[in-house]
Amino acid sequence: MKLLASDASPYARKVRVVLLETEQSDVEVVDTKTNPMANVPELSAANPVGKIPALLRDEGPALYDSRVISRFLNARADGALYPDARLWETLTLEATGDAIMDAAIGIVYEQRLRPAELHWPAWFDAQWGKVERALDALGARWMSHLHGPVDAGHIAVGCALGYLDLRHADRNWRAGRDVLAAWEKDFAARPAMLQTKPA
C-alpha cells in the first residue's frame, strides 16, 4: 500500500502517527506536493477532490479523508485507537482536532493563494475564532479524556496543536491554556509524534 502524504499536512501527519502507533511499517509513504489550486494526476486519480492524504490499497479502491484512513488502518492492525467503550467521545474529539486544522489551514490558504490586496481580515478573524473556541472547549471539557489511554482523538488534537505551532506560532495559542499546553508538551514527546514532526 502507498500513502500519498505531505510532511506539512496535519491530516497526513495524523495518518502517519496512526501507522507508527499501530506498528505498521509496510505502508510506503509517498511525498505528494499539492495545494487547492493544483491538480496532481496521481492524487486526483485516488481522491477526485485532490486532497491528501489518500491511501492506495493493493485490493479495493483508494481511501481518502484522514478519518477514514485512520479507522481503516486501526482495524487492519486490530488496534485500540477507536475503543468501543468511548467511541463517540473519541470520534468527537477527533472531529474537534480536525476542525482546528480546517480553520488554521483556511487562514494559511487565504494568505498564500489570494493576492494581498484581496485578503479579507474578517475571514482571518472568523477562522481564528473557531480555533480559539475549540481550544477553550478542549480545556473545559476534554482534559480528562486527553489524560486517558491514547486514542485517535489524542492524535488529532496533538497534530492540530503541532500545526498551530508550525503555521501560527505568532498567535500563541498556549496563552491562558496552561493545562492544555502541558498536555501537548507531553504528547509531542511521544516517539510517533517526534518522528512525524514537520521540519
Side-chain angles (χ1 to χ4, degrees):
M1 288 193 294
K2 291 182 181 181
L3 177 69
L4 305 184
S6 167
D7 284 349
S9 165
Y11 305 106
R13 186 183 187 194
K14 273 177 51 185
V15 175
R16 291 166 53 226
V17 171
V18 167
L19 284 170
L20 291 166
E21 291 283 354
T22 56
E23 300 180 346
Q24 296 181 74
S25 59
D26 60 336
V27 177
E28 178 186 359
V29 179
V30 179
D31 186 44
T32 308
K33 301 297 184 196
T34 189
N35 69 60
M37 307 296 286
N39 179 22
V40 178
E42 182 181 19
L43 181 57
S44 295
N47 178 354
V49 298
K51 291 183 178 182
I52 52 176
L55 183 68
L56 308 180
R57 297 187 292 168
D58 299 326
E59 297 179 3
L63 300 179
Y64 47 88
D65 187 278
S66 62
R67 281 181 266 191
V68 174
I69 298 170
S70 294
R71 288 288 296 267
F72 171 80
L73 291 173
N74 182 70
R76 178 178 186 251
D78 196 23
L81 297 178
Y82 292 91
D84 287 341
R86 58 183 197 281
L87 180 61
W88 302 115
E89 290 79 7
T90 298
L91 291 173
T92 301
L93 188 57
E94 184 180 15
T96 303
D98 283 3
I100 293 171
M101 297 177 207
D102 291 344
I105 289 173
I107 295 171
V108 171
Y109 286 162
E110 175 77 9
Q111 290 171 329
R112 289 187 177 176
L113 300 175
R114 212 184 251 274
E117 64 273 14
L118 297 178
H119 285 179
W120 189 13
W123 171 264
F124 296 136
D125 293 344
Q127 298 312 303
W128 191 251
K130 293 176 184 181
V131 171
E132 293 214 311
R133 290 192 299 275
L135 293 174
D136 290 343
L138 291 174
R141 302 176 203 160
W142 291 101
M143 294 314 304
S144 62
H145 187 109
L146 287 171
H147 284 105
V150 172
D151 61 31
H154 295 72
I155 294 171
V157 170
C159 291
L161 299 179
Y163 187 77
L164 295 182
D165 286 338
L166 178 69
R167 296 292 188 232
H168 300 287
D170 59 318
R171 292 181 180 265
N172 190 19
W173 67 263
R174 291 174 176 80
R177 300 184 179 97
D178 294 346
V179 176
L180 181 61
W183 175 86
E184 187 278 335
K185 183 178 179 181
D186 288 343
F187 193 78
R190 292 180 71 82
M193 293 296 287
L194 292 173
Q195 290 178 54
T196 59
K197 185 175 180 178

